[in-house]
Amino acid sequence: MRMSRSPLLPLLAAVFGLAAPAAAQEKPVLTVYTYDSFAAEWGPGPKIEAAFEETCACDLNFVGLADGVAILNRLRLEGATSPADLALGMTTDMVPEMKASGLFAPSGVDVSKTVVPGNFRDDTFVPFDYSYLAVMVDTQSGAAVPTSFDDLVNGDPSQKIAIQDPRSSTPGLGLMLWMKAVYGDEAAAKWKQLSNRILTVTPGWSESYNLFTKGEVPLVLSYTTSEAYHVIEEGTDRYKAAAFAEGQYVQVEVAGRLTGSKNPELAARFLAFILTPEFQNVIPTTNWAYPVIADAAPLPEAFAALPKVEKPLAIDPETVAANREAWTAEWLAAIGR
Amino acid sequence: MAGGDRALSPAGTVRRGAAGGAEARDRHVRLGLGLAASLLLAGLLGGAFLVLLLTSDAVPDPLAVLADPYLRAVTGFTLLQAGLSALLSVAGGVPLGLALHRTRFAGRALVLRLLLLPQVLPVLVGALGIVAVWGFNGLVSDALAALGLARINVYGLAGILLAHAFFNLPLVARMVVGALDGVPAERWKLAGQLGLGRLATFRIVEAPALRAVLPGAFGLVFMLCATSFTLVLVLGGGPAASTLQVAIYKALSLDFAAGNAVALCLVQVSLTALVLLALSRLPGREAGGFTLGAAPRRYDRPSRLASAADTAVLFLGLLFVGAPFAAILLGGLGSDLGPLLANPAVHRATLTSLVVGLCAASLAVLLSLALLAAGRERPGSAFEIGPSLVLVVPPVVVGAGWFLVLRQVTDVYAAAPYVVVATNAAMSVPFVTRIVGPALAAAHAGQDRLARSLGLFGLARWRLVDWPAARRPLTLAFAFAFALSLGDLGAIALFGSPDFQTLPFLLYQRLGSYRSTDGEGLALLLGVVCLALMLLAERGAAPSVRRPLA
């Protein structure tokens, strides 16, 4: 019993010291919460960081979280103490909820020239790319490519799909809304049916896409543009995006700056930077999504072969905000047992 | 257990000395220390909920809780998977234990040591090994596909059961070997002289020993699986196969639904308390935990068929336990280890893990020693039962409670290191007391009178009597607590952030990340650190832990 507790305290302090972000730096640090595939070394993060740091005399720091919805959850938990200046990677579906949270400050960016499906316009959130949700199929697995939602729901239950949790992930939330847009009140019953085909529900897009590319699962919820990634980066047409007769759900991704930011002007400059070609031209072949400005560089050839989306589907964000909790509970009850 | 010092104890020469005052002071100090440790533990485990119950409106209506279909489904699944996992572990562990006891071969001690490994292997690392062996693209699936059969879907109940069996079947096997080792040598001799056949030996000698240990073994595994978090999180595959632990974590980290989380925590704690209560009524000695199973001689001569069957069971059992280890090793070596080892994030996580582990293990040992010191003064009191109660409140529940309380007063993520250290320390206390307790008790029983007659009290007594006896088990307990903390994901899951990452947290994140094989490399790193730690400590502790022949 002679040991004293005191030697532990410096050790703990050492951890704290390590844990605390380096404070005494000359350049201001701009912290951006995003999803992990955006911040990853092969994602758009490093290129955008390099381009912005050339002009800003600052240190841009992307922090990758599980997925888009998790960003909002995290900001809510941290409240006013959040170290983040900006958040990037939520979707327009979440905008009313985000505005009601009071966490975000007006962007000060003119978004009137942006080109996105549904003509999203907002004074707080800046759209940075858009894409269409799609089920990706590994054609070497022997799984049939579904041509409609009914096809997917009624398909061979031994051919599994990996999806994402709508409580943490934007494509997961998108799928929930997509089902609602297609099936309305029947959505819960269809989820129950689909649950026979669900291999796993992951917190973010990366985990499920990882399972898909590793061959653990033949179908995954992703985007039509994922097909272009495999063609351009891997030179293979093994993976196909399934075009659904009912139409594809649109996902417009947005960024916003936080009221608690210690660098509000720098944050506003970053939001403006989003709508420049330096940012936008990085998007198609790193984030594998469509740019939102008219004068972006032409898209690579592989994009032309992607499924044409004739019927972009979306649910009015106000309706989403009013029903998200109830719909999530309905989803949970339908796919849990 | 007290080493060779026992000769020092001259029974009968003890006189009540004039040391009464020192003795009373000694007792007060012990009780004081025990009380302080108990309060600290109780505060850590229950304090957060007390604050929540008193201050917030997050307290759910019990009737509404019981009526919620999702919660009922989660509770049902928790019990179902725990029951099946325990059945599977016992059904596999008993034949393996029997075969291990019946067969004598050169590497037997090594095999017993291998069976100890899953207990100290970080759960997340084990899960990775399980997927590599049993996953859709795993070895077994490949073999099945080559035979034209369907591949295995490891996500969901099947994967959870497989993984729980991997971790707990060896535990049961060791308990069985321990129980059989406890059978008096005369019985084996008699069975040999009477020429009892295999069945008769089983019925007359082995079965009674098993009957004494199996209910406890089943209960222990049930308890461990009912509070399983990491495996279910990784292998469960979403809401359809979710335990209470995972549901608590998701309610907080995804929904941020404080009321739901508190309701789930209350259900979890009531459930584990009931299981522990039932467990305490079951017969069953705590054998096989850390002994190396000194071999009593058996005189039965198994037929060729019987020994072939034993060999087959041994082979299958070792394959089942060993294959995931091999997969982790191969997968890790096949990944890009160089850049991974040079990665600053990995360095930071390793350092954080080591510091958190050291602090947690030190705190656990201090708390345990204080409880043991007080327990000696008041046998059978709360000081002795207290450590087991820790098991009622699993790390995720402790974390969830403090998460909810702390966020009302401070930045949760700034307090994270303290909460994680304290939670990891608390969860090690039951194991530390169990490893160190017997050695201290033996030292007390053997030398208490001598020590008192010599007027040895306080620190002097600790230095001369308790420390020599407890040193080796303490080393082992410290290493075990260290390894437990190194591998823990439950406490860090809620509190981890980009600024505070341990190795398991980093591993959990990297596992999912797309286009990265870092997971395998990190798993190997973490697994090697934990196993090396335990093997070193076990080697150091072996002489005092190895039981002499009965």
Side-chain angles (χ1 to χ4, degrees), chain A residues 288-325:
Chain A
W288 304 95
Y290 295 102
V292 298
I293 57 171
D295 54 345
L299 290 171
E301 218 174 294
F303 278 72
L306 300 179
K308 292 280 166 295
V309 180
E310 323 251 290
K311 273 189 269 178
L313 299 176
I315 293 181
D316 164 48
E318 296 294 343
T319 314
V320 176
N323 293 294
R324 185 160 83 107
E325 207 183 314

Coordinates of all heavy atoms in Angstrom, one line a residue, chain A residues 288-325:
Chain A
W288 N -16.3 11.4 -56.1 CA -17.1 10.6 -57.1 C -18.6 11.1 -57.0 O -19.5 10.4 -56.6 CB -17.0 9.1 -56.8 CG -15.5 8.8 -57.0 CD1 -14.6 8.7 -56.0 CD2 -14.8 8.6 -58.2 NE1 -13.4 8.4 -56.6 CE2 -13.5 8.4 -57.9 CE3 -15.2 8.6 -59.6 CZ2 -12.5 8.2 -58.9 CZ3 -14.2 8.4 -60.6 CH2 -12.9 8.2 -60.2
A289 N -18.7 12.5 -57.3 CA -20.0 13.1 -57.3 C -20.0 14.2 -58.3 O -18.9 14.5 -58.9 CB -20.3 13.7 -55.9
Y290 N -21.2 14.8 -58.6 CA -21.2 15.8 -59.6 C -20.9 17.2 -59.0 O -21.4 17.5 -57.9 CB -22.6 15.9 -60.2 CG -23.0 14.6 -61.0 CD1 -23.8 13.6 -60.5 CD2 -22.5 14.4 -62.3 CE1 -24.1 12.5 -61.2 CE2 -22.8 13.2 -63.0 CZ -23.6 12.3 -62.4 OH -23.9 11.2 -63.1
P291 N -20.2 18.1 -59.8 CA -20.0 19.4 -59.3 C -21.2 20.3 -59.3 O -22.2 19.9 -60.0 CB -18.9 19.9 -60.2 CG -19.1 19.2 -61.5 CD -19.6 17.8 -61.1
V292 N -21.2 21.4 -58.6 CA -22.4 22.2 -58.6 C -22.3 23.6 -59.3 O -23.2 24.4 -59.2 CB -22.8 22.5 -57.1 CG1 -23.1 21.2 -56.4 CG2 -21.8 23.3 -56.4
I293 N -21.2 23.8 -60.0 CA -21.1 25.1 -60.7 C -21.1 24.8 -62.2 O -20.6 23.8 -62.7 CB -19.8 25.9 -60.3 CG1 -18.5 25.1 -60.5 CG2 -19.9 26.4 -58.9 CD1 -17.3 25.9 -60.4
A294 N -21.6 25.8 -63.0 CA -21.7 25.6 -64.4 C -20.4 25.6 -65.1 O -20.2 24.9 -66.1 CB -22.6 26.8 -65.0
D295 N -19.4 26.4 -64.6 CA -18.1 26.4 -65.3 C -17.1 25.4 -64.8 O -15.9 25.7 -64.9 CB -17.5 27.8 -65.3 CG -17.4 28.4 -63.9 OD1 -18.1 27.8 -63.0 OD2 -16.7 29.4 -63.7
A296 N -17.5 24.3 -64.3 CA -16.6 23.3 -63.8 C -16.0 22.6 -65.1 O -16.6 22.6 -66.2 CB -17.3 22.3 -63.0
A297 N -14.9 22.0 -64.9 CA -14.2 21.2 -66.0 C -15.1 20.1 -66.5 O -15.9 19.6 -65.7 CB -12.9 20.7 -65.6
P298 N -15.1 19.7 -67.8 CA -15.9 18.7 -68.3 C -15.7 17.4 -67.5 O -14.6 17.1 -67.1 CB -15.5 18.5 -69.8 CG -14.7 19.7 -70.1 CD -14.2 20.3 -68.8
L299 N -16.7 16.6 -67.4 CA -16.6 15.3 -66.6 C -15.9 14.3 -67.4 O -15.9 14.3 -68.7 CB -18.0 14.8 -66.3 CG -18.8 15.6 -65.2 CD1 -20.2 15.2 -65.1 CD2 -18.1 15.6 -63.9
P300 N -15.2 13.4 -66.8 CA -14.5 12.3 -67.5 C -15.5 11.4 -68.3 O -16.7 11.4 -67.9 CB -13.9 11.4 -66.4 CG -13.8 12.3 -65.2 CD -14.9 13.3 -65.4
E301 N -15.0 10.8 -69.3 CA -15.9 10.0 -70.2 C -16.8 9.0 -69.5 O -17.9 8.8 -69.8 CB -15.0 9.3 -71.2 CG -15.5 9.2 -72.6 CD -14.5 8.6 -73.5 OE1 -13.4 9.2 -73.7 OE2 -14.7 7.4 -74.0
A302 N -16.2 8.3 -68.5 CA -16.9 7.2 -67.8 C -18.2 7.7 -67.2 O -19.2 6.9 -67.0 CB -16.0 6.6 -66.7
F303 N -18.3 9.0 -66.9 CA -19.5 9.5 -66.3 C -20.7 9.5 -67.3 O -21.9 9.4 -66.9 CB -19.3 11.0 -65.8 CG -18.7 11.1 -64.5 CD1 -17.4 10.8 -64.3 CD2 -19.4 11.4 -63.4 CE1 -16.7 10.8 -63.1 CE2 -18.8 11.5 -62.1 CZ -17.5 11.2 -62.0
A304 N -20.4 9.5 -68.6 CA -21.4 9.5 -69.6 C -22.1 8.2 -69.7 O -23.3 8.1 -70.0 CB -20.9 9.9 -71.0
A305 N -21.4 7.1 -69.3 CA -22.0 5.8 -69.3 C -22.9 5.4 -68.1 O -23.5 4.4 -68.0 CB -20.9 4.7 -69.4
L306 N -22.9 6.3 -67.1 CA -23.6 6.1 -65.9 C -25.1 6.1 -66.2 O -25.6 6.7 -67.1 CB -23.3 7.1 -64.8 CG -21.8 7.2 -64.4 CD1 -21.6 8.2 -63.4 CD2 -21.4 5.8 -63.9
P307 N -25.9 5.4 -65.3 CA -27.4 5.5 -65.6 C -27.9 6.9 -65.6 O -27.5 7.7 -64.8 CB -27.9 4.7 -64.3 CG -26.8 3.9 -63.8 CD -25.6 4.6 -64.2
K308 N -28.7 7.2 -66.7 CA -29.3 8.5 -66.7 C -30.5 8.6 -65.7 O -31.3 7.7 -65.7 CB -29.9 8.7 -68.1 CG -28.8 8.8 -69.2 CD -28.2 10.2 -69.2 CE -27.0 10.3 -70.1 NZ -25.9 9.4 -69.5
V309 N -30.5 9.6 -64.9 CA -31.5 9.7 -64.0 C -32.6 10.6 -64.5 O -32.5 11.8 -64.6 CB -31.0 10.3 -62.6 CG1 -32.1 10.4 -61.6 CG2 -29.9 9.4 -62.1
E310 N -33.7 9.9 -65.0 CA -34.8 10.7 -65.6 C -35.7 11.2 -64.5 O -36.3 12.3 -64.6 CB -35.6 9.8 -66.5 CG -34.8 8.8 -67.2 CD -34.7 9.1 -68.7 OE1 -35.7 8.9 -69.4 OE2 -33.6 9.5 -69.2
K311 N -35.9 10.4 -63.4 CA -36.8 10.8 -62.3 C -36.0 11.0 -61.0 O -35.9 10.1 -60.3 CB -37.8 9.7 -62.1 CG -39.0 9.9 -63.0 CD -40.1 8.9 -62.6 CE -40.0 7.6 -63.4 NZ -41.0 6.6 -63.0
P312 N -35.4 12.2 -60.8 CA -34.8 12.4 -59.5 C -35.9 12.5 -58.4 O -36.8 13.3 -58.6 CB -34.0 13.7 -59.7 CG -34.5 14.3 -61.0 CD -35.4 13.4 -61.7
L313 N -35.7 11.7 -57.4 CA -36.7 11.7 -56.3 C -36.1 12.5 -55.1 O -35.0 12.5 -54.8 CB -37.0 10.3 -55.8 CG -37.6 9.4 -56.9 CD1 -37.7 8.0 -56.3 CD2 -38.9 9.9 -57.4
A314 N -37.0 13.2 -54.4 CA -36.7 13.9 -53.2 C -37.9 14.1 -52.4 O -39.0 14.2 -52.9 CB -36.0 15.3 -53.5
I315 N -37.7 14.2 -51.1 CA -38.8 14.6 -50.2 C -38.5 16.0 -49.7 O -37.4 16.3 -49.3 CB -38.9 13.6 -49.0 CG1 -39.4 12.2 -49.6 CG2 -39.9 14.1 -48.0 CD1 -39.6 11.2 -48.5
D316 N -39.5 16.8 -49.6 CA -39.4 18.2 -49.1 C -38.7 18.2 -47.7 O -39.2 17.5 -46.8 CB -40.8 18.8 -49.0 CG -40.8 20.0 -48.2 OD1 -39.9 20.9 -48.4 OD2 -41.7 20.2 -47.3
P317 N -37.6 18.9 -47.6 CA -36.8 18.9 -46.3 C -37.7 19.2 -45.1 O -37.4 18.6 -44.0 CB -35.8 19.9 -46.5 CG -35.5 20.0 -48.0 CD -36.9 19.7 -48.6
E318 N -38.7 20.0 -45.2 CA -39.5 20.3 -44.0 C -40.3 19.1 -43.6 O -40.4 18.8 -42.4 CB -40.5 21.5 -44.4 CG -39.9 22.8 -44.7 CD -39.2 23.4 -43.5 OE1 -39.5 23.0 -42.4 OE2 -38.3 24.4 -43.7
T319 N -40.8 18.3 -44.6 CA -41.5 17.1 -44.3 C -40.5 16.1 -43.6 O -40.9 15.4 -42.7 CB -42.0 16.5 -45.6 OG1 -42.7 17.5 -46.3 CG2 -43.0 15.3 -45.2
V320 N -39.3 16.1 -44.1 CA -38.3 15.2 -43.5 C -38.0 15.6 -42.0 O -38.1 14.7 -41.1 CB -36.9 15.3 -44.3 CG1 -35.9 14.4 -43.5 CG2 -37.1 14.8 -45.7
A321 N -37.9 16.9 -41.8 CA -37.6 17.4 -40.5 C -38.7 17.0 -39.5 O -38.5 16.6 -38.4 CB -37.4 18.9 -40.5
A322 N -40.0 17.1 -40.0 CA -41.1 16.8 -39.2 C -41.2 15.4 -38.9 O -41.8 15.0 -37.8 CB -42.4 17.4 -39.8
N323 N -40.8 14.5 -39.8 CA -41.0 13.1 -39.6 C -39.8 12.2 -39.4 O -39.9 11.0 -39.2 CB -41.7 12.5 -40.9 CG -43.1 13.1 -41.0 OD1 -44.0 12.8 -40.2 ND2 -43.3 14.0 -42.1
R324 N -38.6 12.8 -39.3 CA -37.4 11.9 -39.3 C -37.4 11.0 -38.1 O -37.1 9.8 -38.2 CB -36.1 12.8 -39.3 CG -34.9 11.9 -39.4 CD -33.7 12.7 -39.9 NE -33.0 13.5 -38.8 CZ -31.8 13.1 -38.3 NH1 -31.2 12.1 -38.7 NH2 -31.3 13.9 -37.3
E325 N -37.8 11.5 -36.9 CA -37.7 10.7 -35.7 C -38.7 9.6 -35.8 O -38.4 8.4 -35.6 CB -38.1 11.6 -34.5 CG -37.5 11.1 -33.2 CD -37.9 11.9 -32.0 OE1 -37.8 13.2 -32.2 OE2 -38.3 11.3 -31.0

